Amino acid sequence: MNATERSQNLKAKAFELGFELAGLSPAVPPSRYTDFLHWLSKGYAGEMGYLERRKEERGDPQRLLPGARSILSVALSYNPSPEHYPLLEKNPISCYAWGRDYHLVVSEKLERLKEYFLSDIDPGAQVKTYVDTGPLLEKDYAAAAGLGWIGKNTLLLNKKFGSFLFLGELLITTEMACDEPTDNLCRTCTACMDACPTQALEEPGLLNATKCISYLTLEHRSGLPANTRLHGYLAGCDLCQTVCPYNANAPKGREEGFQPRPEILGLTWEAGRTMTAEEFKRFTENSALERVKYPMWVRNTQSS
Ligand code: B12
Protein backbone atom coordinates (compact mmCIF):
# COMPACT_ATOMS: atom_id res chain seq x y z
CA MET A 1 0.00 0.00 0.00
CA ASN A 2 1.40 3.41 -0.86
CA ALA A 3 0.89 6.65 1.12
CA THR A 4 -2.13 7.69 -0.97
CA GLU A 5 -3.86 4.33 -0.55
CA ARG A 6 -3.13 4.34 3.19
CA SER A 7 -4.77 7.76 3.53
CA GLN A 8 -7.77 6.82 1.37
CA ASN A 9 -8.40 3.65 3.35
CA LEU A 10 -8.05 5.35 6.72
CA LYS A 11 -10.43 8.15 5.76
CA ALA A 12 -12.92 5.67 4.32
CA LYS A 13 -12.91 3.83 7.66
CA ALA A 14 -13.41 7.13 9.52
CA PHE A 15 -16.48 7.89 7.40
CA GLU A 16 -17.75 4.35 7.97
CA LEU A 17 -17.49 4.94 11.73
CA GLY A 18 -19.72 8.00 11.37
CA PHE A 19 -17.29 10.92 11.29
CA GLU A 20 -18.54 13.62 8.93
CA LEU A 21 -15.03 14.84 8.08
CA ALA A 22 -11.54 13.36 7.96
CA GLY A 23 -8.24 14.66 6.60
CA LEU A 24 -4.50 14.37 7.04
CA SER A 25 -1.70 16.84 7.73
CA PRO A 26 2.02 16.46 8.48
CA ALA A 27 3.04 16.11 12.16
CA VAL A 28 4.89 19.43 12.22
CA PRO A 29 4.61 22.40 14.64
CA PRO A 30 1.17 24.10 14.36
CA SER A 31 1.16 27.09 12.02
CA ARG A 32 -0.29 29.47 14.62
CA TYR A 33 1.94 28.51 17.54
CA THR A 34 3.47 31.99 17.84
CA ASP A 35 -0.06 33.45 17.98
CA PHE A 36 -0.90 30.97 20.72
CA LEU A 37 2.11 32.09 22.81
CA HIS A 38 1.15 35.72 22.24
CA TRP A 39 -2.42 34.92 23.36
CA LEU A 40 -1.12 33.28 26.54
CA SER A 41 1.17 36.22 27.30
CA LYS A 42 -1.83 38.57 27.15
CA GLY A 43 -3.50 36.63 29.98
CA TYR A 44 -6.44 35.63 27.77
CA ALA A 45 -6.34 32.08 29.13
CA GLY A 46 -7.49 33.23 32.57
CA GLU A 47 -7.39 30.33 35.04
CA MET A 48 -6.79 27.66 32.37
CA GLY A 49 -3.31 27.01 33.77
CA TYR A 50 -3.01 23.77 31.83
CA LEU A 51 -2.55 25.76 28.60
CA GLU A 52 0.49 27.54 30.06
CA ARG A 53 1.90 24.47 31.83
CA ARG A 54 2.09 22.31 28.72
CA LYS A 55 2.77 25.05 26.18
CA GLU A 56 6.05 23.52 24.91
CA GLU A 57 4.28 20.27 24.01
CA ARG A 58 1.68 22.21 22.05
CA GLY A 59 4.50 23.59 19.93
CA ASP A 60 5.67 20.25 18.56
CA PRO A 61 3.80 16.95 18.14
CA GLN A 62 7.18 15.15 18.27
CA ARG A 63 7.10 15.77 22.00
CA LEU A 64 3.88 13.76 22.22
CA LEU A 65 4.97 10.92 19.95
CA PRO A 66 8.63 10.85 18.88
CA GLY A 67 8.84 9.87 15.22
CA ALA A 68 5.28 11.05 14.47
CA ARG A 69 4.90 11.81 10.76
CA SER A 70 1.18 12.36 10.17
CA ILE A 71 -1.95 13.56 11.94
CA LEU A 72 -5.42 12.37 11.01
CA SER A 73 -8.02 14.95 12.05
CA VAL A 74 -11.67 13.95 12.25
CA ALA A 75 -14.88 15.83 13.03
CA LEU A 76 -18.15 14.54 14.44
CA SER A 77 -21.25 16.73 14.17
CA TYR A 78 -23.48 17.52 17.13
CA ASN A 79 -25.68 19.91 15.18
CA PRO A 80 -29.10 19.66 16.89
CA SER A 81 -32.11 18.50 14.89
CA PRO A 82 -34.59 21.20 13.79
CA GLU A 83 -37.12 19.98 16.39
CA HIS A 84 -34.59 20.76 19.13
CA TYR A 85 -33.43 24.07 17.67
CA PRO A 86 -35.83 26.11 19.86
CA LEU A 87 -33.98 24.72 22.88
CA LEU A 88 -30.88 26.58 21.75
CA GLU A 89 -32.62 29.78 22.75
CA LYS A 90 -34.04 28.75 26.08
CA ASN A 91 -32.05 25.85 27.51
CA PRO A 92 -29.45 26.97 30.06
CA ILE A 93 -27.06 24.24 28.91
CA SER A 94 -25.08 24.64 25.70
CA CYS A 95 -25.93 21.95 23.15
CA TYR A 96 -22.38 20.56 23.22
CA ALA A 97 -23.45 18.87 26.47
CA TRP A 98 -27.01 17.77 25.68
CA GLY A 99 -26.05 14.16 25.01
CA ARG A 100 -23.39 11.72 26.10
CA ASP A 101 -19.94 13.11 26.87
CA TYR A 102 -18.19 13.75 23.53
CA HIS A 103 -14.86 12.68 25.01
CA LEU A 104 -16.32 9.18 25.38
CA VAL A 105 -18.18 9.09 22.07
CA VAL A 106 -15.28 10.36 19.96
CA SER A 107 -12.64 8.34 21.86
CA GLU A 108 -14.51 5.09 21.27
CA LYS A 109 -14.58 5.74 17.54
CA LEU A 110 -10.91 6.81 17.52
CA GLU A 111 -9.91 3.59 19.31
CA ARG A 112 -11.69 1.58 16.62
CA LEU A 113 -9.95 3.61 13.95
CA LYS A 114 -6.59 3.00 15.63
CA GLU A 115 -7.28 -0.77 15.79
CA TYR A 116 -8.15 -0.75 12.10
CA PHE A 117 -4.97 1.17 11.25
CA LEU A 118 -2.79 -1.24 13.20
CA SER A 119 -4.43 -4.36 11.79
CA ASP A 120 -5.08 -3.37 8.17
CA ILE A 121 -2.75 -0.51 7.28
CA ASP A 122 0.52 -0.56 9.23
CA PRO A 123 0.98 -3.09 12.05
CA GLY A 124 4.43 -1.68 12.83
CA ALA A 125 3.19 1.86 13.49
CA GLN A 126 2.73 3.74 16.73
CA VAL A 127 -0.56 5.58 17.07
CA LYS A 128 -1.93 7.92 19.76
CA THR A 129 -5.52 9.19 19.97
CA TYR A 130 -6.70 12.61 21.17
CA VAL A 131 -10.02 14.31 21.72
CA ASP A 132 -9.55 17.37 23.84
CA THR A 133 -7.34 15.12 25.94
CA GLY A 134 -3.81 16.30 25.17
CA PRO A 135 -1.63 19.31 24.45
CA LEU A 136 -2.42 19.59 20.75
CA LEU A 137 -3.82 22.69 19.00
CA GLU A 138 -6.62 20.62 17.49
CA LYS A 139 -8.25 23.35 15.41
CA ASP A 140 -4.96 24.22 13.71
CA TYR A 141 -4.39 20.63 12.58
CA ALA A 142 -8.02 20.24 11.46
CA ALA A 143 -7.64 23.36 9.33
CA ALA A 144 -4.29 22.15 7.94
CA ALA A 145 -5.98 18.85 6.99
CA GLY A 146 -8.67 20.68 4.99
CA LEU A 147 -11.60 19.98 7.36
CA GLY A 148 -12.56 23.64 7.15
CA TRP A 149 -11.26 27.04 8.18
CA ILE A 150 -10.95 28.86 11.51
CA GLY A 151 -13.94 31.19 11.73
CA LYS A 152 -14.09 34.61 13.33
CA ASN A 153 -15.51 32.88 16.42
CA THR A 154 -12.18 30.96 16.50
CA LEU A 155 -13.90 27.61 15.80
CA LEU A 156 -13.27 25.16 12.98
CA LEU A 157 -16.00 25.79 10.45
CA ASN A 158 -16.92 23.67 7.43
CA LYS A 159 -18.92 24.94 4.46
CA LYS A 160 -21.35 21.99 4.54
CA PHE A 161 -21.35 20.88 8.18
CA GLY A 162 -20.97 24.24 9.97
CA SER A 163 -19.16 24.48 13.32
CA PHE A 164 -21.17 22.29 15.71
CA LEU A 165 -18.36 19.75 15.34
CA PHE A 166 -16.16 17.94 17.82
CA LEU A 167 -12.59 17.31 16.75
CA GLY A 168 -10.35 14.30 17.32
CA GLU A 169 -6.97 13.11 16.06
CA LEU A 170 -4.75 10.11 15.47
CA LEU A 171 -1.07 10.90 15.75
CA ILE A 172 0.74 8.35 13.57
CA THR A 173 4.38 7.42 12.90
CA THR A 174 3.55 6.30 9.33
CA GLU A 175 3.95 8.62 6.36
CA MET A 176 0.55 9.38 4.82
CA ALA A 177 -0.62 11.45 1.85
CA CYS A 178 -1.80 14.80 3.21
CA ASP A 179 -4.74 17.06 2.32
CA GLU A 180 -4.79 20.75 1.41
CA PRO A 181 -6.28 23.54 3.58
CA THR A 182 -9.53 25.14 2.35
CA ASP A 183 -10.28 28.82 1.78
CA ASN A 184 -11.62 30.94 4.63
CA LEU A 185 -15.24 31.68 3.68
CA CYS A 186 -16.25 34.01 6.55
CA ARG A 187 -15.55 36.96 4.25
CA THR A 188 -17.27 40.15 5.52
CA CYS A 189 -19.69 38.40 7.90
CA THR A 190 -19.34 39.39 11.58
CA ALA A 191 -22.51 37.73 12.94
CA CYS A 192 -20.64 35.83 15.67
CA MET A 193 -18.75 38.89 16.88
CA ASP A 194 -21.92 40.98 16.91
CA ALA A 195 -23.88 38.29 18.80
CA CYS A 196 -21.42 37.79 21.65
CA PRO A 197 -23.05 39.67 24.55
CA THR A 198 -19.75 40.03 26.42
CA GLN A 199 -17.65 41.15 23.41
CA ALA A 200 -15.26 38.26 24.03
CA LEU A 201 -14.35 38.12 20.33
CA GLU A 202 -12.16 41.19 20.47
CA GLU A 203 -10.93 40.86 16.90
CA PRO A 204 -11.89 38.45 14.12
CA GLY A 205 -10.42 35.11 15.24
CA LEU A 206 -9.25 36.41 18.61
CA LEU A 207 -11.11 35.25 21.72
CA ASN A 208 -10.39 36.79 25.09
CA ALA A 209 -11.46 33.69 27.03
CA THR A 210 -11.72 35.60 30.31
CA LYS A 211 -14.81 37.35 28.87
CA CYS A 212 -16.30 34.24 27.22
CA ILE A 213 -19.44 32.81 28.87
CA SER A 214 -18.25 29.31 28.06
CA TYR A 215 -15.00 29.90 29.95
CA LEU A 216 -16.73 31.65 32.86
CA THR A 217 -19.28 28.87 33.37
CA LEU A 218 -17.03 25.84 32.70
CA GLU A 219 -13.42 26.70 33.40
CA HIS A 220 -13.20 29.65 35.78
CA ARG A 221 -12.95 28.00 39.19
CA SER A 222 -12.84 30.94 41.57
CA GLY A 223 -15.61 33.47 42.17
CA LEU A 224 -16.92 35.24 39.08
CA PRO A 225 -15.81 38.86 38.62
CA ALA A 226 -18.29 41.43 39.98
CA ASN A 227 -21.18 42.24 37.62
CA THR A 228 -20.65 39.11 35.52
CA ARG A 229 -23.74 38.28 33.48
CA LEU A 230 -24.11 34.82 31.99
CA HIS A 231 -27.07 35.72 29.77
CA GLY A 232 -29.19 32.74 30.80
CA TYR A 233 -26.44 30.11 30.53
CA LEU A 234 -25.47 27.80 33.38
CA ALA A 235 -22.91 25.77 31.41
CA GLY A 236 -21.22 26.59 28.11
CA CYS A 237 -22.55 29.00 25.48
CA ASP A 238 -23.77 28.65 21.89
CA LEU A 239 -24.36 32.25 20.90
CA CYS A 240 -21.40 32.70 18.54
CA GLN A 241 -22.45 29.53 16.70
CA THR A 242 -26.24 29.74 16.52
CA VAL A 243 -25.99 32.95 14.48
CA CYS A 244 -23.47 31.56 12.00
CA PRO A 245 -25.04 31.29 8.51
CA TYR A 246 -23.13 28.07 7.86
CA ASN A 247 -24.86 26.40 10.83
CA ALA A 248 -28.30 27.45 9.58
CA ASN A 249 -28.01 25.11 6.60
CA ALA A 250 -25.87 22.34 8.09
CA PRO A 251 -27.39 18.84 8.24
CA LYS A 252 -28.27 17.61 11.70
CA GLY A 253 -25.69 15.43 13.47
CA ARG A 254 -26.27 11.70 12.97
CA GLU A 255 -24.62 10.50 16.18
CA GLU A 256 -27.23 8.84 18.44
CA GLY A 257 -25.13 9.51 21.53
CA PHE A 258 -25.61 13.27 21.09
CA GLN A 259 -29.42 13.14 21.18
CA PRO A 260 -30.56 15.36 24.07
CA ARG A 261 -31.17 13.38 27.26
CA PRO A 262 -34.74 13.71 28.62
CA GLU A 263 -33.56 15.53 31.75
CA ILE A 264 -31.90 18.14 29.49
CA LEU A 265 -34.99 18.64 27.33
CA GLY A 266 -37.04 19.70 30.34
CA LEU A 267 -34.40 21.67 32.19
CA THR A 268 -35.30 25.20 33.18
CA TRP A 269 -33.03 27.71 34.77
CA GLU A 270 -35.17 27.55 37.92
CA ALA A 271 -34.81 23.75 38.11
CA GLY A 272 -31.06 24.17 37.71
CA ARG A 273 -30.99 26.66 40.55
CA THR A 274 -32.68 24.32 43.00
CA MET A 275 -30.69 21.17 42.12
CA THR A 276 -29.07 19.51 45.13
CA ALA A 277 -25.49 18.23 45.02
CA GLU A 278 -26.77 14.66 44.69
CA GLU A 279 -29.16 15.59 41.84
CA PHE A 280 -26.37 17.49 40.11
CA LYS A 281 -24.08 14.46 40.33
CA ARG A 282 -26.71 12.26 38.64
CA PHE A 283 -27.50 14.98 36.10
CA THR A 284 -23.90 15.29 34.96
CA GLU A 285 -23.00 11.57 34.88
CA ASN A 286 -21.41 10.58 31.53
CA SER A 287 -21.89 14.15 30.37
CA ALA A 288 -19.26 16.72 29.37
CA LEU A 289 -20.61 18.64 32.37
CA GLU A 290 -18.89 16.24 34.76
CA ARG A 291 -15.99 18.70 34.74
CA VAL A 292 -18.19 21.39 36.27
CA LYS A 293 -17.97 21.16 40.04
CA TYR A 294 -21.12 21.65 42.07
CA PRO A 295 -19.91 24.89 43.75
CA MET A 296 -19.28 26.34 40.27
CA TRP A 297 -22.79 25.33 39.20
CA VAL A 298 -24.34 27.01 42.27
CA ARG A 299 -22.20 30.09 41.62
CA ASN A 300 -23.42 30.18 38.01
CA THR A 301 -27.08 30.04 39.09
CA GLN A 302 -26.44 33.13 41.18
CA SER A 303 -25.05 35.14 38.24
CA SER A 304 -27.25 34.24 35.26
C1 B12 B 1 -9.11 26.00 25.84
C2 B12 B 1 -10.35 25.59 25.08
C3 B12 B 1 -11.48 26.39 25.23
C4 B12 B 1 -11.44 27.75 25.89
C5 B12 B 1 -10.81 28.75 24.88
C6 B12 B 1 -11.55 28.72 23.53
C7 B12 B 1 -10.71 28.87 22.31
N1 B12 B 1 -11.26 29.56 21.33
O1 B12 B 1 -9.62 28.34 22.21
C8 B12 B 1 -12.95 27.99 26.23
C9 B12 B 1 -13.25 27.48 27.63
C10 B12 B 1 -13.42 29.43 26.13
C11 B12 B 1 -13.59 27.06 25.22
C12 B12 B 1 -14.89 27.23 24.79
C13 B12 B 1 -15.49 26.43 23.85
N2 B12 B 1 -15.01 25.30 23.34
CO1 B12 B 1 -13.20 24.67 23.64
N3 B12 B 1 -11.44 24.04 23.69
C14 B12 B 1 -10.36 24.44 24.25
C15 B12 B 1 -9.18 23.51 23.95
C16 B12 B 1 -8.97 22.57 25.13
C17 B12 B 1 -7.86 24.22 23.61
C18 B12 B 1 -8.01 25.32 22.55
C19 B12 B 1 -6.85 26.25 22.61
O2 B12 B 1 -5.71 25.84 22.52
N4 B12 B 1 -7.13 27.51 22.83
C20 B12 B 1 -6.10 28.47 23.00
C21 B12 B 1 -6.31 29.63 22.07
C22 B12 B 1 -5.02 30.40 21.96
O3 B12 B 1 -6.70 29.14 20.82
P1 B12 B 1 -7.53 29.99 19.74
O4 B12 B 1 -8.63 30.80 20.28
O5 B12 B 1 -7.80 29.07 18.64
O6 B12 B 1 -6.38 31.02 19.48
C23 B12 B 1 -5.90 31.43 18.31
C24 B12 B 1 -6.23 32.89 18.10
O7 B12 B 1 -6.39 33.50 19.37
C25 B12 B 1 -5.03 33.31 17.35
N5 B12 B 1 -4.50 34.59 17.78
C26 B12 B 1 -3.64 34.86 18.78
N6 B12 B 1 -3.36 36.16 18.79
C27 B12 B 1 -4.05 36.70 17.77
C28 B12 B 1 -4.15 38.02 17.33
C29 B12 B 1 -4.99 38.30 16.25
C30 B12 B 1 -5.11 39.70 15.81
C31 B12 B 1 -5.72 37.26 15.60
C32 B12 B 1 -6.63 37.52 14.45
C33 B12 B 1 -5.60 35.93 16.04
C34 B12 B 1 -4.77 35.69 17.13
O8 B12 B 1 -4.01 32.33 17.43
C35 B12 B 1 -4.36 31.41 18.40
C36 B12 B 1 -3.66 30.07 18.18
O9 B12 B 1 -4.14 29.34 17.10
C37 B12 B 1 -9.70 22.77 22.66
C38 B12 B 1 -9.19 21.34 22.48
C39 B12 B 1 -7.75 21.35 21.95
N7 B12 B 1 -6.89 20.60 22.58
O10 B12 B 1 -7.45 22.04 20.99
C40 B12 B 1 -11.23 22.85 22.84
C41 B12 B 1 -12.10 23.12 21.58
C42 B12 B 1 -11.48 24.25 20.82
N8 B12 B 1 -13.36 23.56 22.15
C43 B12 B 1 -14.38 23.14 21.53
C44 B12 B 1 -15.72 23.52 21.83
C45 B12 B 1 -16.82 22.66 21.23
C46 B12 B 1 -15.98 24.63 22.63
C47 B12 B 1 -17.32 25.35 22.85
C48 B12 B 1 -18.23 25.40 21.62
C49 B12 B 1 -18.06 24.68 24.04
C50 B12 B 1 -19.34 25.42 24.45
N9 B12 B 1 -20.44 25.19 23.79
O11 B12 B 1 -19.33 26.20 25.36
C51 B12 B 1 -16.84 26.76 23.27
C52 B12 B 1 -16.66 27.70 22.06
C53 B12 B 1 -16.19 29.09 22.43
C54 B12 B 1 -15.33 29.71 21.34
N10 B12 B 1 -15.88 30.62 20.57
O12 B12 B 1 -14.18 29.30 21.19
C55 B12 B 1 -14.00 22.29 20.33
C56 B12 B 1 -14.14 23.15 19.07
C57 B12 B 1 -14.51 22.38 17.81
C58 B12 B 1 -14.54 23.32 16.63
N11 B12 B 1 -15.55 23.20 15.77
O13 B12 B 1 -13.68 24.13 16.45
C59 B12 B 1 -12.52 21.89 20.69
C60 B12 B 1 -11.59 21.72 19.49
C61 B12 B 1 -12.61 20.56 21.48
C62 B12 B 1 -12.86 19.34 20.60
N12 B12 B 1 -11.94 18.38 20.62
O14 B12 B 1 -13.81 19.26 19.89
N13 B12 B 1 -12.75 26.12 24.78
Side-chain angles (χ1 to χ4, degrees), residues 3-304:
T4 305
E5 288 163 342
R6 286 196 288 272
S7 293
Q8 278 169 351
N9 291 353
L10 183 59
K11 286 191 273 184
K13 186 69 182 177
F15 296 133
E16 190 189 308
L17 287 168
F19 289 112
E20 273 80 9
L21 299 164
L24 285 130
S25 63
V28 295
S31 61
R32 302 190 309 161
Y33 185 60
T34 317
D35 288 342
F36 168 70
L37 293 179
H38 177 70
W39 184 88
L40 279 180
S41 71
K42 289 274 199 178
Y44 291 153
E47 294 182 357
M48 296 184 287
Y50 64 92
L51 292 174
E52 176 72 38
R53 275 193 301 278
R54 301 187 71 182
K55 66 180 177 200
E56 277 83 18
E57 283 160 280
R58 275 170 217 273
D60 189 358
Q62 299 302 323
R63 287 173 175 260
L64 305 179
L65 178 61
R69 295 173 93 170
S70 318
I71 300 180
L72 174 83
S73 291
V74 289
L76 189 64
S77 171
Y78 62 100
N79 193 28
S81 63
E83 63 173 308
H84 295 135
Y85 247 79
L87 280 185
L88 284 173
E89 282 183 14
K90 51 177 193 228
N91 198 286
I93 308 286
S94 148
C95 66
Y96 94 110
W98 285 357
R100 194 165 165 249
D101 187 348
Y102 68 93
H103 300 93
L104 302 174
V105 174
V106 177
S107 293
E108 285 163 11
K109 289 183 192 295
L110 287 176
E111 284 304 321
R112 289 177 64 190
L113 206 50
K114 175 180 168 178
E115 274 168 30
Y116 166 78
F117 189 85
L118 292 174
S119 64
D120 288 42
I121 298 186
D122 186 0
Q126 287 182 60
V127 179
K128 280 191 161 185
T129 63
Y130 294 93
V131 44
D132 207 351
T133 45
L136 205 62
L137 292 180
E138 300 189 318
K139 296 179 284 179
D140 281 30
Y141 290 108
L147 267 54
W149 68 95
I150 308 285
K152 288 179 187 168
N153 61 6
T154 79
L155 295 169
L156 191 281
L157 182 52
N158 175 276
K159 189 178 176 185
K160 177 173 176 197
F161 293 104
S163 68
F164 285 120
L165 300 168
F166 294 123
L167 302 179
E169 301 78 28
L170 291 189
L171 196 49
I172 312 172
T173 51
T174 312
E175 190 178 340
M176 309 284 284
C178 291
D179 294 283
E180 290 296 320
T182 66
D183 289 339
N184 184 319
L185 300 179
C186 284
R187 305 200 198 281
T188 55
C189 176
T190 55
C192 55
M193 302 181 71
D194 302 339
C196 177
T198 59
Q199 285 84 45
L201 294 163
E202 293 186 347
E203 289 181 50
L206 180 65
L207 179 84
N208 178 348
T210 64
K211 293 186 188 171
C212 173
I213 294 170
S214 177
Y215 163 80
L216 291 165
T217 52
L218 302 172
E219 298 277 347
H220 188 84
R221 308 243 147 201
S222 54
L224 292 174
N227 303 324
T228 296
R229 285 193 55 216
L230 299 174
H231 298 270
Y233 280 105
L234 291 176
C237 178
D238 294 317
L239 293 172
C240 66
Q241 296 195 81
T242 47
V243 295
C244 175
Y246 289 102
N247 283 329
N249 299 318
K252 81 177 202 89
R254 297 166 299 174
E255 172 55 47
E256 270 304 306
F258 297 150
Q259 282 300 308
R261 294 174 295 138
E263 58 273 36
I264 289 279
L265 288 174
L267 185 78
T268 59
W269 185 85
E270 186 55 27
R273 197 182 64 78
T274 52
M275 234 182 236
T276 64
E278 196 47 46
E279 286 165 344
F280 180 73
K281 191 164 179 276
R282 273 199 305 276
F283 179 70
T284 54
E285 230 156 54
N286 287 327
S287 148
L289 300 180
E290 257 181 332
R291 289 161 179 220
V292 179
K293 302 300 160 216
Y294 184 63
M296 289 166 71
W297 175 263
V298 172
R299 175 204 69 184
N300 293 349
T301 66
Q302 289 160 358
S303 308
S304 282

